[in-house]
Amino acid sequence: MSDHISIQSLNFIYESSSESLFEDLNLHFASGWTGIVGKNGSGKSTLAKIISGEIFPSSGIIQGNTNVRYVSQDTSVSEEDLENFIYDDSKETGKWKNLLKIKIRQPEDYHHLSFGERRRILLSMALSEDSEVLILDEPTNHLDEESIRLILNAIRFYQGVGILISHDRYLLDEVVSSCVFLEKNFYSQRPGNFSQGRSEMEREREERVKDWEEIRKERKRLEAEISRRREEANLSHKHRSKKGLDPHDHDGRYRKNLARVTGKDGQAGRLKNQLDARKEHSERKEKEIFSKLPEKENLGIVWRTNVSRRSNLFLWEEEKMNFGFLTLRSESHLSILPGSRIAITGKNGSGKSTLMGFLVKEMERKGIPYLYLPQEFSKEDLESMQQEFRNFSPDKKAKILSGIHRLGSDPKRFSESESFSPGEWKKLFLSVHLESQPEILLLDEPTNHLDIKSLEALESSLAVLPSALVLVSHDRRFWESLAQEEWGLENFFLTQKYLDKI
């Protein structure tokens, strides 16, 4: 049985890319949980797929990955696997079902569950298999606070080698005992939880910047010294040259010969050669340090939206909303005004996404310009989005790539690669629609899959949005900073509450 995974000198490059994603990667994963963090597109999910054997590295050695279970961000599952899990009454499977509060009774119910409920089922299925290595890719995406607590409690019981890919700072701090930080052209593995590792990484970043500034100053000093020595060497050459001397000027010829024999005037030239060698060494070192510097970041996007001239965008005066398989009741009339900022909150399965879908249909029915960001994109959605992007004019593409860059991703990947992370797909969608001029934004879990810095860039842009905003989010810090009104769902009852911003 494997109690660790070792990665040695691993290299990987996508066929469609001109740059390597990993170069000389060396990592060690011991028993317990190790976190992997980094920007969208930094290679977290790719590394997970390499460890699990879904894809192969260009070169390098991986040891200890013979029995790996990888739980990806996708929530699809085969009907056969789902049936086997539902009807498995073994003690081991029952333990995980109880820990994660799995209540599904038949496979047909799966497609009616929320994304969060599906994710708990998939995690329970994986833990029931008792694999030596378990990789979880963003396990808390779409989960409410109660579900996150259940996940946290469950994975603490796992005894094998655990690898946790997450942007959930709380989960990382509570679970992991080691953290891998992936950056462009740089990686680091640190003992301790996320906060401890990040603190150490920030200190090292500052040291790398300081080292680069010092070596840069040294190079400039050497360049100035070389320039001065070059002038001295040229003057020395004139002193030693007999060109222009009168053939009968014996004293002058004697002084030139003496200068050549003693070599004093030639010292400037030799010193210049020594300085040239030092400058070349300095330039190599400067280039090496520069390649590992933290990337300069200029994050932040600007939306082009319109403030509606309608008196209201949505008005519901009835006591119930009947969606067929689900009915919501409300204690008061509901309205969305041109400047409303509303957060829809509640547990998984409480009807948040159903209500959001209803609002989308209402905007379509009334002909109101809107932008709807779904929780997840279907395969057809992704193919359509990619084709749309390819067909844009060069100027339009440049604007979109600028938006992607300002949301924290490398635009070059979108020109060269066809394999994007869920966070990158979300950034592409947002950047494509930055200038669509909607009167209302309807965002269903917009922070899912986004790295921390991208999340903060999105939050800043929405904070100054003049048009209406309705969002579903389990990220309390995010929605409380943006919303002025909360529509809370519990037991299929909607409670309206205005938030005190003073």
Side-chain angles (χ1 to χ4, degrees):
M1 180 171 178
S2 175
D3 61 354
H4 72 277
I5 287 180
S6 176
I7 295 177
Q8 302 171 28
S9 304
L10 186 141
N11 297 282
F12 180 81
I13 183 171
Y14 281 105
E15 291 183 1
S16 58
S17 177
S18 62
E19 294 182 358
S20 294
L21 185 59
F22 301 128
E23 288 186 0
D24 196 28
L25 191 66
N26 296 279
L27 297 171
H28 183 84
F29 300 92
S31 294
W33 286 98
T34 297
I36 299 180
V37 298
K39 287 183 177 181
N40 299 127
S42 61
K44 301 183 297 298
S45 295
T46 300
L47 180 58
K49 291 176 182 178
I50 291 173
I51 294 173
S52 66
E54 283 192 26
I55 57 178
F56 298 98
S58 305
S59 62
I61 300 171
I62 306 177
Q63 296 176 323
N65 64 330
T66 54
N67 182 11
V68 180
R69 180 67 156 88
Y70 173 43
V71 182
S72 71
Q73 299 181 41
D74 186 14
T75 57
S76 60
V77 62
S78 73
E79 188 172 340
E80 181 181 358
D81 289 342
L82 188 59
E83 282 185 357
N84 290 338
F85 170 73
I86 292 173
Y87 302 125
D88 184 351
D89 58 358
S90 66
K91 184 178 179 180
E92 180 68 14
T93 300
K95 178 182 77 172
W96 298 114
K97 285 180 179 178
N98 289 332
L99 280 171
L100 289 162
K101 295 188 176 180
I102 305 301
K103 299 178 181 179
I104 188 171
R105 293 290 178 262
Q106 53 190 10
E108 294 78 15
D109 296 339
Y110 185 76
H111 300 291
H112 297 294
L113 300 176
S114 69
F115 280 101
E117 290 170 313
R118 294 182 199 178
R119 191 164 293 281
R120 291 210 325 267
I121 289 173
L122 293 175
L123 177 58
S124 183
M125 291 172 65
L127 288 166
S128 300
E129 295 174 13
D130 196 27
S131 57
E132 295 176 2
V133 180
L134 178 60
I135 304 174
L136 304 182
D137 198 343
E138 298 290 359
T140 59
N141 269 353
H142 312 293
L143 300 190
D144 54 34
E145 292 179 11
E146 181 184 0
S147 295
I148 292 173
R149 181 181 55 79
L150 292 173
I151 294 269
L152 176 60
N153 183 50
I155 63 178
R156 279 176 169 157
F157 284 92
Y158 177 68
Q159 299 297 312
V161 178
I163 299 175
L164 176 61
I165 300 172
S166 181
H167 295 127
D168 188 327
R169 292 163 289 182
Y170 174 74
L171 184 68
L172 289 165
D173 278 344
E174 289 292 316
V175 172
V176 308
S177 57
S178 171
C179 218
V180 174
F181 295 85
L182 295 179
E183 296 183 9
K184 187 177 181 181
N185 303 323
F186 184 77
Y187 74 92
S188 179
Q189 185 166 11
R190 298 286 167 200
N193 62 23
F194 167 71
S195 293
Q196 292 166 339
R198 183 172 65 170
S199 177
E200 186 67 14
M201 284 288 292
E202 290 296 332
R203 185 187 64 78
E204 283 199 0
R205 281 193 184 100
E206 292 174 2
E207 288 183 356
R208 298 206 308 267
V209 171
K210 185 178 179 182
D211 289 344
W212 177 72
E213 289 174 344
E214 288 179 356
I215 198 70
R216 188 163 170 261
K217 288 179 182 177
E218 173 68 7
R219 175 181 57 79
K220 288 187 174 182
R221 189 190 68 77
L222 288 171
E223 287 176 347
E225 184 67 10
I226 288 170
S227 178
R228 187 178 69 81
R229 294 291 183 179
R230 184 179 291 114
E231 292 179 5
E232 290 186 4
N234 291 336
L235 184 61
S236 171
H237 176 72
K238 291 180 182 178
H239 287 166
R240 294 194 305 273
S241 175
K242 297 177 182 178
K243 185 177 180 181
L245 283 179
D246 190 307
H248 302 291
D249 185 357
H250 299 294
D251 290 339
R253 288 179 176 276
Y254 173 76
R255 287 192 298 273
K256 300 289 186 182
N257 288 333
L258 183 63
R260 290 179 177 180
V261 173
T262 60
K264 290 180 179 179
D265 287 338
Q267 287 179 3
R270 288 194 294 275
L271 285 172
K272 175 188 170 296
N273 291 335
Q274 293 173 10
L275 289 170
D276 280 337
R278 286 174 59 190
K279 175 175 174 286
E280 185 178 342
H281 172 74
S282 179
E283 286 175 339
R284 284 199 303 270
K285 191 173 180 181
E286 181 184 357
K287 187 175 181 180
E288 179 184 343
I289 295 174
F290 182 79
S291 67
K292 295 182 178 180
L293 286 180
E295 295 178 83
K296 286 186 176 180
E297 295 175 329
N298 184 23
L299 302 183
I301 54 174
V302 178
W303 296 90
R304 288 189 61 189
T305 61
N306 290 326
V307 178
S308 179
R309 295 183 179 180
R310 302 167 184 261
S311 58
N312 62 70
L313 301 172
F314 173 79
L315 180 62
W316 191 262
E317 298 179 310
E318 298 179 28
E319 183 181 345
K320 296 180 180 180
M321 293 182 183
N322 192 335
F323 305 122
F325 64 93
L326 183 151
T327 300
L328 289 179
R329 294 178 295 112
S330 175
E331 63 181 4
S332 60
H333 296 167
L334 300 174
S335 65
I336 301 176
L337 305 179
S340 291
R341 306 177 70 82
I342 299 168
I344 301 175
T345 64
K347 293 181 179 180
N348 292 131
S350 61
K352 300 185 301 298
S353 294
T354 300
L355 176 56
M356 181 67 85
F358 176 70
L359 293 176
V360 170
K361 290 179 180 178
E362 283 295 293
M363 298 305 134
E364 288 180 347
R365 185 178 66 82
K366 293 182 176 181
I368 297 174
Y370 71 93
L371 174 63
Y372 170 57
L373 172 70
Q375 276 196 43
E376 299 289 332
F377 297 108
S378 67
K379 184 178 179 181
E380 292 75 19
D381 290 336
L382 298 180
E383 291 174 352
S384 175
M385 198 189 317
Q386 194 165 43
Q387 189 61 45
E388 183 184 15
F389 176 69
R390 287 173 179 165
N391 293 336
F392 282 134
S393 68
D395 287 346
K396 177 69 172 176
K397 276 187 181 178
K399 288 183 179 180
I400 293 169
L401 293 175
S402 175
I404 290 168
H405 175 67
R406 295 181 72 86
L407 280 169
S409 283
D410 184 0
K412 188 181 293 186
R413 277 184 47 76
F414 290 81
S415 302
E416 297 180 346
S417 178
E418 294 185 358
S419 178
F420 305 144
S421 69
E424 288 177 310
W425 281 117
K426 183 164 288 188
K427 291 176 187 179
L428 176 59
F429 177 88
L430 292 172
S431 298
V432 165
H433 294 93
L434 281 177
E435 298 188 350
S436 58
Q437 299 185 341
E439 294 181 5
I440 182 171
L441 269 64
L442 301 159
L443 310 180
D444 197 347
E445 296 290 359
T447 63
N448 278 349
H449 307 302
L450 292 184
D451 56 68
I452 294 167
K453 291 185 177 179
S454 300
L455 184 157
E456 291 172 345
L458 177 62
E459 184 178 345
S460 298
S461 72
L462 294 175
V464 295
L465 192 74
S467 60
L469 171 67
V470 179
L471 58 91
V472 171
S473 180
H474 290 127
D475 189 329
R476 176 172 287 274
R477 184 184 302 179
F478 178 78
W479 68 257
E480 281 188 343
S481 71
L482 296 172
Q484 298 170 342
E485 186 179 343
E486 178 186 0
W487 290 2
L489 298 179
E490 186 174 2
N491 297 324
F492 307 113
F493 191 85
L494 191 156
T495 303
Q496 187 179 25
K497 180 170 70 174
Y498 290 94
L499 305 176
D500 185 2
K501 292 291 183 178
I502 299 176

